[in-house]
Amino acid sequence: MNRLLTLAFFLLTTPLLAQFRYLPEKPLPGDVVSFTYTPRNTPLASETAISGIWVRYAAPSQMVASLPTTATAVQEGNAFVGEMKLPKPPLSGLLFTFQSKTNSALIDANNGHFYPLLVYTDGGKPQPHATGGQASVLVRTAYAAKLKVKSDWAWAVQQYERELAQNPQLRPQYWSDLIATQLRLQKPGAKATALNQIPAYLDSHTPTPDELTTAANLYDQLAEPARATAARERIRTVDPTGDAAQKARAEVVRKEADLAKKLSGFASFTQAFPASTYRGMLVSSVAEAYFKPGQFRDLVSFLAQQPLPATDPMLLHSFAGQMTDEGRGIPQAEWLAQRALTVLQQRPLPKKASPEQTAQRTSDIQNFRATLAYAFDQQDRFGAALATYKQAVAEPDASDPRTSERLWLCALRANRADSVLPYIEKVVRVGRLTPRLRSALRAYQAKKLGSEAKGETYVRDLLAPYRAERQAELAESFVNQPAPGFTLSTLSGNTVSLASLRGKVVMLDFWATWCGPCVASFPAVQQAAAYFKNDPNVVFLFVNTREGGPLSRVQSFMARQTSTFTVPLDRDQRVADSYGVLGIPTKVIIDPKGRVRYRSLGFSGNTDATAEELTLVIEALKNLQ
């Protein structure tokens, strides 16, 4: 730490000219640098533990590898000092930000300009990009965003202009970033200025394909499609067979809305560039153009002519999944699912695949097989369907409930239920089942055992360990608060009061017709209510609150429901306020003793999981009588 002591002595005997200083004053790449930061008059002035966070910068094309790194700083009097070894080239400088170790919200980023540490050449001059690279940190990295520092685009423009004044030969590396950053300022006339600057730069020399591609992208940003197309077309004259030309032509085909023209463009492109890396993108684009209007036969015919490596298995699987779910084009869905599975299985994993990557590949293959099995199933090809379902199912505790449901229903239709029953029972024991699977299994056992009651007992016995475990987990989150009393008129003209329901479990669902999540969660609550429909000790109240509109709207909504529900009207929101309802939907469950034991806000989007949770909570609270 001799360098730190020397630096500290230097600071004590020399007036501070800046809050951030470093030695040597003209460091070279690879040098060991000592730095000091003085937090006086900054948000960190009273902090005793500070870190320096820095990011390296160089030429714009090298910024992609710039990641924030932490430098340790030790308090020495009123300053913080540290020491670090500069990275090797390419390196033009570092930008520092200082942050409190105890409160990450406290940051000093020098008013959004950060603290630069410039790196020099052997001749004692700043490295090229020492100034412009600071702007590139804002434009080409997420450094400012990660630190929640507001970007100063006017400053970035100034840094670019200073760099080009010092090193005009670097304009090819900065011209487009400078124009794009000027546009971020949103000053009057910025678009007109940019539309002059772009052709002025391109006409100053023979542009490269990359420059023309960049110009086309700028024109796209400026909403000038004709100029963007002209720039891409110009690439053909500069480098008619290169990557940039291929990309430009592929982009034109991808954006073509007319299917006939898209097919013509695709044929022309593949003839000119049969081995292009952009072929896969275009195959997907044409495939989507066939899929959207439902031209499934033509879609299959087209894909059958394409090489497997140019096929996106995820896209084909998504097509097959939508088609089987909707019952459309099932023979073609089978072909797509089989094709997707073949491509995926032939696509190699990285040589050093992580456990997560390997697990994801296994999961994808199982999902693809499940879709293929469902396509077989819908064509009454039960043998192929059951064999493929069995390949698709995972361990019971990681199984997909929908696939398990389809497996069981397929086995029932094929009169082979006993062959999959052991697996289905394991699925039920770990709670991985849907309401339809539960109902179908109950009906199967009712017929086998002689009564619906025995069928229900069979399913409940299977579920008992899982439900007990889940109830224990939910009980840990139970609250225990007195439930405010209320008396409300209902939509049907009756009166309901909490006092009259003492001794019962009461579920309050606070909702309104205009509330999307409320309406979306209705099926889950209805499902739970149906479960307890024969239990007089469980009451569901759909408390309409915060409606803000005519009563007829509520009446119309409830008239469209398939079941009858008690709908208390909390027109003045007094009940909702007394229960601390911060937003809707809010669900509150009251135990038989009149205590609030459970509340939830919002809706997860999972109907079955929500219904199951409400059911488990209510059953647990019934036992508290």
Side-chain angles (χ1 to χ4, degrees), residues 491 509-520 522 542-561 567 569 571 584-585:
L491 189 63
D509 185 7
F510 292 93
W511 69 286
T513 59
W514 53 261
C515 167
C518 298
V519 175
F522 240 64
F542 291 76
V543 184
N544 182 260
T545 190
R546 303 184 182 180
E547 185 63 38
L551 188 61
S552 59
R553 188 163 65 188
V554 184
Q555 292 170 329
S556 176
F557 177 86
M558 295 309 299
R560 296 193 298 270
Q561 306 308 309
V567 183
L569 302 172
R571 304 291 282 178
I584 52 176

Side-chain angles (χ1 to χ4, degrees), residues 74-87:
V74 180
Q75 189 171 22
E76 294 281 352
N78 294 325
F80 290 83
V81 297
E83 185 174 274
M84 59 179 294
K85 185 174 182 179
L86 295 183

Side-chain angles (χ1 to χ4, degrees), residues 22-45:
Y22 49 88
L23 289 175
E25 294 181 357
K26 296 183 177 182
L28 305 176
D31 275 359
V32 175
V33 174
S34 301
F35 66 86
T36 179
Y37 167 68
T38 305
R40 186 185 304 119
N41 300 323
T42 76
L44 303 177

